[in-house]
Amino acid sequence: MASLRKRTQAPKPGNSKIVSRKRSRSKQEGADDYSDTRCEKCGSGQYPSELLLCDKCDCGFHLFCLRPVLVAVPKGRWFCPSCSNLQNPTNLSLVQTKIVDFFRIQRSSQPPEKLTPESRKKRRRTGGLVMSKRRRKLLPFIPTEDPVRRLEQMASLATALNATGTEFSNELVYIPSMAPRSANCSALERDGMQVMSKDDSETLSLCKNMMERGEWPPLMVVFDPREGFTVEADRCIRDLTIITEYIGDVDFLKNREHDDGDSMMTLLTATDPSKSLVICPDKRSNIARFVNGINNHIPGGKKKQNVKCLRFDVNGECRVLLIASRDIRKGERLYYDYNGYENEYPTEHFV
């Protein structure tokens, strides 16, 4: 099978076509020879197969020297940090109507429901000693009570989506030219898939319904010069809280063998490889796309992990959820292990 760039199965960085593709283009245009190109970050001309040239200034950069690190050659034209507009992404205006329209939030004439201590306890689904004796249940997120702060949280996500040219979606997307919804059958999973319990299914539905009303998870998307867009907790988040569902276009794995995207997520690993599915968030996605991965090659990498990626059978279909793996403090950045299954995603250069 050809090399893929999935968050659960991807090749080591390094594509022999990177510089040669740029050089052939330049030679056709009568430009200079790039055989002496050096990385603007480290000054080395070593690893030429991992040198990427800016389409505007023609400066060279190692994939692993860039911040955020690139694990694969980007599709289409690429601009270095100095030439890119991601240096200072334009924040979306905090106009409520714009936010509501952007995320297609259901408009209601009724005032938002006031959370009582009883309803708050119900939403958290705490069970005391019962939880310690039985399987622990997933918890719904607790939205920020301040509506202005919720708008700021949503605006931060809208800013990141706009900057990356991504359309918002909070449901898996099935495109006619890709995999049909009927292909998403959890019974095809090679080693079987965990069936989501009735209680957890209700919790997931509760989270979806809250988001449709504009009650969002307490998360902020921020831009970091080293890590790119990343996600921070805007209030304390308890262990086992549903953070979000991993969203994007659903396609057959075989159709993505030569895909340059670096954010594909395994949805279904079928016994018949031709029926395996992936989630591709490059065109449509949600906040899951901006949750960063840990470095699997340094001692402290695992300590940063506070989110886990789990696949479930939900009513016969495969779904991927990001769930808090421990209590998360306010202001703490969210990280999970991109190598949760196949252990082949190249994370050695992650911050």
Side-chain angles (χ1 to χ4, degrees), residues 137-148:
K137 299 176 183 178
L138 298 182
L139 306 177
F141 60 79
I142 305 298
T144 300
E145 296 179 358
D146 182 2
V148 174

Side-chain angles (χ1 to χ4, degrees), residues 10 100 103 114 167 232 252 260 264 294 320-321 325 343:
V100 169
F103 292 108
K114 186 72 173 179
E167 179 184 337
E232 293 181 352
F252 289 109
D260 288 327
M264 285 191 294
I294 63 171
V320 180
L321 300 184
S325 59
N343 298 311

Side-chain angles (χ1 to χ4, degrees), residues 136 139 236-241 243 294 300-308 323-330 332-335:
R136 300 176 68 190
L139 306 177
C236 295
I237 299 175
R238 294 184 58 197
D239 184 18
L240 290 181
T241 295
I243 302 296
I294 63 171
K302 200 69 176 178
K303 293 181 180 179
K304 293 173 64 175
Q305 181 176 350
N306 49 21
V307 175
K308 55 187 174 183
I323 298 169
S325 59
R326 58 172 173 79
D327 290 346
I328 303 174
R329 303 183 307 274
K330 179 180 179 180
E332 188 176 351
R333 292 187 176 177
L334 273 56
Y335 295 93

Side-chain angles (χ1 to χ4, degrees), residues 255-294:
N255 294 342
R256 298 285 174 157
E257 292 180 351
H258 304 290
D259 194 290
D260 288 327
D262 64 351
S263 299
M264 285 191 294
M265 172 68 74
T266 298
L267 179 64
L268 170 66
T269 304
T271 303
D272 179 354
S274 68
K275 297 181 179 180
S276 293
L277 301 174
V278 289
I279 303 172
C280 309
D282 52 327
K283 291 184 173 60
R284 283 159 285 271
S285 189
N286 61 1
I287 200 169
R289 176 178 178 176
F290 304 108
V291 180
N292 284 334
I294 63 171

